[in-house]
Amino acid sequence: MHFQWYPGHMTKAKRMMQENIKLIDLVIELVDARVPMSSRNPDIDELGKNKARLILLNKADLAEDKKNEEWLQFFREKGYSAVTVNSRKGGGMKSIHSVIQEACREKIERDRKRGILNRPVRAMVAGIPNVGKSTFINSLAGKACTKTGNRPGVTKGKQWIRLNKNVELLDTPGILWPKFEDQEVGRKLAFIGSIKDEILNSEELAAQMIGFMEQHYPGVLEEKYGIQETEDAYACLSAIAKSRHCLLKGNELDTKKAAALFIDDFRDGRLGKITLEFPEEYQ
Ligand SMILES: Nc1nc2c(ncn2[C@@H]2O[C@H](COP(=O)(O)OP(=O)(O)OP(=O)(O)O)[C@@H](O)[C@H]2O)c(=O)[nH]1
Ligand SMILES: [Mg+2]
């Protein structure tokens, strides 16, 4: 299966971000708490290298609490400010204002010494597609100022949002990178919905996810779908199709529909809180 997806709007977006970086004090990098490393775009890391930095593990509600804590520690040990948030429900938002001020302390101090008072912090909100950048901005602003959607590629251009007299945020389109060195990374980004589903093979993706679940979260599939977990992931997928009455004409099992349903169950948290990668794999 090929995961590469780098449409023209991402090339344009990257250029726009490079052009705007000189205006920026702080890069707020959103990652998906279920895949905190695989959802980091090296281009964004490069872009932010001389800026104040903040990593937000968004969608923390969908990942395991204990793993979230381990990942926070992991990033903090590497010298980043890092916080977990749930942008959909607004969890963790209250502390964000002070975290932003803290991350920009040097800049605020520098301004003060030069006699510049009350210049707002300008922060670029960046990340791969569908991690929740626009939702985060809306949640922090307390109103819907940007368009959001449960698919990658919703935001197509830049948008400045003035939060208050202290902070201005730049919403940016999600960007991937031209080539994944590691296919495993591509697969994980496909699981979380950061790659356009149209280019994916849903049954193959579901089979891989089933394999992961059986290995790391045994018993969940049995409980959720009332099926027997077996080594053959495709047999499991057929069992899910049967238990969910996914049928084609002539009562043939519709495993494609079952695959889409299963992947959606994972993406929306209906299989429980699931983390797909662990800090010890990256030490
Ligand atoms: N469960 C959960 N869902 C979230 C969270 N944050 C965002 N979402 C959902 O994730 C989906 C994508 O959100 P967007 O804000 O459009 O993502 P984006 O990063 O702006 O995406 P692009 O503009 O396409 O790059 C939406 O369905 C949101 O409701 C979160 O913290 N938890
Ligand atoms: Mg967006």
Side-chain angles (χ1 to χ4, degrees), residues 58-239:
N58 192 38
K59 308 202 183 186
D61 54 306
L62 299 176
E64 254 189 276
D65 295 326
K66 188 165 158 286
K67 298 296 166 199
N68 289 344
E69 284 308 314
E70 290 175 20
W71 275 114
L72 280 183
Q73 178 134 9
F74 175 90
F75 286 118
R76 286 173 183 162
E77 276 168 10
K78 300 225 170 331
Y80 292 101
S81 301
V83 202
T84 54
V85 279
N86 168 0
S87 296
R88 190 180 266 177
K89 288 271 163 66
M93 288 301 151
K94 262 190 257 146
S95 67
I96 294 292
H97 290 281
S98 57
V99 172
I100 290 179
Q101 297 299 318
E102 177 60 28
C104 294
R105 206 174 41 180
E106 276 180 31
K107 174 240 170 229
I108 295 168
E109 190 56 27
R110 218 170 35 237
D111 277 1
R112 210 173 54 82
K113 282 193 183 138
R114 291 186 193 151
I116 306 170
L117 289 178
N118 302 326
R119 190 169 77 70
V121 164
R122 292 206 195 98
M124 177 185 277
V125 178
I128 63 166
N130 203 38
V131 281
K133 297 174 293 299
S134 301
T135 306
F136 164 74
I137 291 174
N138 291 345
S139 179
L140 202 58
K143 57 179 186 231
C145 16
T146 69
K147 194 173 154 209
T148 66
N150 195 6
R151 59 183 190 285
V154 173
T155 306
K156 290 280 193 326
K158 69 168 176 176
Q159 186 182 349
W160 278 103
I161 293 99
R162 194 184 145 88
L163 272 193
N164 52 43
K165 64 178 182 10
N166 298 324
V167 184
E168 290 171 9
L169 298 178
L170 179 60
D171 191 15
T172 65
I175 53 171
L176 292 167
W177 50 111
K179 190 172 171 17
F180 301 125
E181 295 301 328
D182 181 353
Q183 286 300 292
E184 186 69 23
V185 170
R187 182 180 312 155
K188 287 176 188 166
L189 300 190
F191 286 153
I192 63 164
S194 287
I195 293 172
K196 194 164 87 155
D197 280 326
E198 287 84 331
I199 69 161
L200 302 170
N201 176 332
S202 60
E203 285 160 288
E204 199 177 328
L205 199 63
Q208 288 163 346
M209 186 73 191
I210 287 169
F212 174 88
M213 290 298 294
E214 289 181 342
Q215 191 185 346
H216 293 276
Y217 293 89
V220 171
L221 300 182
E222 279 191 35
E223 193 184 324
K224 174 80 186 162
Y225 303 106
I227 62 163
Q228 200 89 48
E229 288 178 8
T230 66
E231 289 214 350
D232 182 346
Y234 284 94
C236 274
L237 183 59
S238 296

Side-chain angles (χ1 to χ4, degrees), residues 238-253:
S238 296
I240 292 173
K242 202 165 173 187
S243 101
R244 284 298 147 103
H245 309 291
C246 300
L247 298 172
L248 294 163
K249 270 192 218 125
N251 277 351
E252 202 187 322
L253 291 174

